[in-house]
Amino acid sequence: MDIVTRAILSMALLVALSLGLRMATGKVRYSNLLDTKGLTFERTLLVSLLGPLLAFELVYPRLFLEIVYLDLPAWINQLGAGLVLLAVLIRIWSQVTLKSQWAADLSLDKEHSLITTGPYRFVRHPMYMCYFPAAIGFLLATSNLLIGTLSLLYLGVSILRIPDEEKLLLAAFGDRYRQYQTKTPRRVFPGL
């Protein structure tokens, strides 16, 4: 794994760490983490497995059994790192746009408003959208099938969460959200 790929994957871990710190400082209702509504528990479990594996891979590359690795050329690893970088940038843009309205669990406060700016202008669920290039990118950048599989599972579980989130937003914002739905695609990735 070259230095650029390592740097990008390290940056992705730092973004994940900052997310974890936000969760630890009260941006998540802890009782909801154990609730399977919105698959919060499953997503938390997958990230809890993926993060340490990725960190371990950065510190001790190719330490796992050889059957866990794909034999990919360096340019494919770099392409994967580019996809991870794209995902991180979309995630940061989404997080900055939401500001304090973000929560890991499916819940809204009375102060929440409907966000339709930033990446939310183009796609209703940009945070879920960023998991698509991230999952493919982690697999290609690390060549590690275990990390790739966990990333793809996280993408799948996150996609399954979208209908619950849509119901929550419809209940909270009614016609305003219906109008937003007609203007803005729900796609996990534009064009797909």
Side-chain angles (χ1 to χ4, degrees):
M1 193 180 315
D2 70 5
I3 191 75
V4 173
T5 302
R6 282 179 180 281
I8 291 171
L9 291 175
S10 298
M11 182 180 61
L13 275 175
L14 288 175
V15 169
L17 179 60
S18 73
L19 178 62
L21 288 173
R22 260 188 99 168
M23 291 168 72
T25 58
K27 295 297 180 190
V28 170
R29 291 131 194 102
Y30 292 107
S31 62
N32 291 346
L33 283 180
L34 298 178
D35 183 8
T36 57
K37 176 185 175 191
L39 302 166
T40 304
F41 175 76
E42 292 82 354
R43 293 174 77 232
T44 303
L45 178 65
L46 285 167
V47 166
S48 298
L49 293 171
L50 183 60
L53 279 175
L54 185 56
F56 203 78
E57 183 68 26
L58 285 167
V59 176
Y60 300 106
R62 292 193 168 267
L63 188 66
F64 297 109
L65 297 173
E66 199 57 39
I67 59 170
V68 174
Y69 294 95
L70 299 170
D71 189 24
L72 300 175
W75 72 270
I76 295 287
N77 297 139
Q78 292 165 353
L79 175 67
L83 289 171
V84 170
L85 179 61
L86 173 66
V88 166
L89 294 175
I90 292 169
R91 175 67 194 215
I92 291 170
W93 187 22
S94 301
Q95 199 79 46
V96 166
T97 302
L98 284 179
K99 296 178 184 154
S100 64
Q101 292 194 162
W102 176 85
D105 60 335
L106 286 181
S107 63
L108 293 175
D109 291 332
K110 292 175 186 173
E111 303 85 40
H112 274 98
S113 61
L114 180 60
I115 303 294
T116 60
T117 59
Y120 296 88
R121 260 183 313 191
F122 308 108
V123 179
R124 289 198 307 258
H125 303 284
M127 283 197 197
Y128 301 138
M129 180 191 82
C130 80
Y131 300 147
F132 182 79
I136 304 300
F138 281 134
L139 173 63
L140 298 178
T142 64
S143 301
N144 186 315
L145 288 170
L146 187 56
I147 289 173
T149 300
L150 287 173
S151 297
L152 290 169
L153 282 171
Y154 187 79
L155 169 65
V157 169
S158 295
I159 290 170
L160 291 174
R161 178 180 161 122
I162 290 174
D164 288 335
E165 188 168 310
E166 295 264 314
K167 287 177 192 171
L168 180 72
L169 293 167
L170 271 170
F173 300 111
D175 288 337
R176 287 187 58 221
Y177 192 72
R178 278 187 198 85
Q179 185 179 21
Y180 175 66
Q181 284 178 308
T182 61
K183 292 184 204 173
T184 313
R186 176 180 168 180
R187 299 177 187 134
V188 173
F189 200 78
L192 296 179

